[in-house]
Amino acid sequence: QVQLVESGGGLVQAGGSLRLSCAASGSIFSINGMSWYRQAPGKQRELVAGISRGGITNYADSVKGRFTISRDNVKNMMYLQMSSLKPEDTAVYYCNAEVVLLSPYATNTYWGQGTQVTVSS
């Protein structure tokens, strides 16, 4: 019904930047909150940043001032601009969205497949 596809991950040196994108497609009426999560090897998945449909944002303390979340409600896209990257930012980054479906009219939460971000020291 709904697919979330992340892109933009890769290998970058410490101090560098990357921009992640999340594209939502399928039977979408609208999208409520969208979020980026990440999971490092051996660790639990954690919230990185979230954004409401109206543009209200929240960030994990560990990324405040370095990461910026944004979205395009017309294109059903979400972005994460990551700057001043650190080795501890290395993880698989996942897109998450609460989607209001076209049919049946219901709200479900979806996850993308993840994109690897590796920051070398």
Side-chain angles (χ1 to χ4, degrees):
Q1 288 178 318
V2 173
Q3 298 79 41
L4 300 180
V5 178
E6 302 97 335
S7 61
L11 173 64
V12 64
Q13 288 190 331
S17 299
L18 281 175
R19 187 190 193 214
L20 304 184
S21 298
C22 172
S25 63
S27 182
I28 299 171
F29 177 75
S30 66
I31 302 177
N32 296 331
M34 302 184 78
S35 301
W36 288 99
Y37 285 75
R38 67 185 180 187
Q39 188 167 20
K43 295 188 176 181
Q44 289 188 329
R45 191 172 296 190
E46 64 174 357
L47 176 67
V48 176
I51 184 167
S52 70
R53 181 169 179 81
I56 298 173
T57 60
N58 64 283
Y59 296 92
D61 288 343
S62 59
V63 307
K64 281 180 181 176
R66 300 188 298 121
F67 291 10
T68 301
I69 189 172
S70 61
R71 62 187 287 175
D72 184 327
N73 291 333
V74 174
K75 296 181 178 178
N76 289 333
M77 295 286 295
M78 178 177 63
Y79 308 96
L80 186 68
Q81 179 66 48
M82 305 185 294
S83 303
S84 302
L85 283 162
K86 306 175 181 179
E88 50 263 44
D89 294 319
T90 295
V92 177
Y93 284 71
Y94 296 92
C95 171
N96 171 279
E98 184 181 79
V99 177
V100 181
L101 301 174
L102 275 171
S103 178
Y105 192 79
T107 300
N108 287 336
T109 298
Y110 295 89
W111 291 89
Q113 82 289 347
T115 185
Q116 176 70 46
V117 171
T118 303
V119 184
S120 63
S121 57

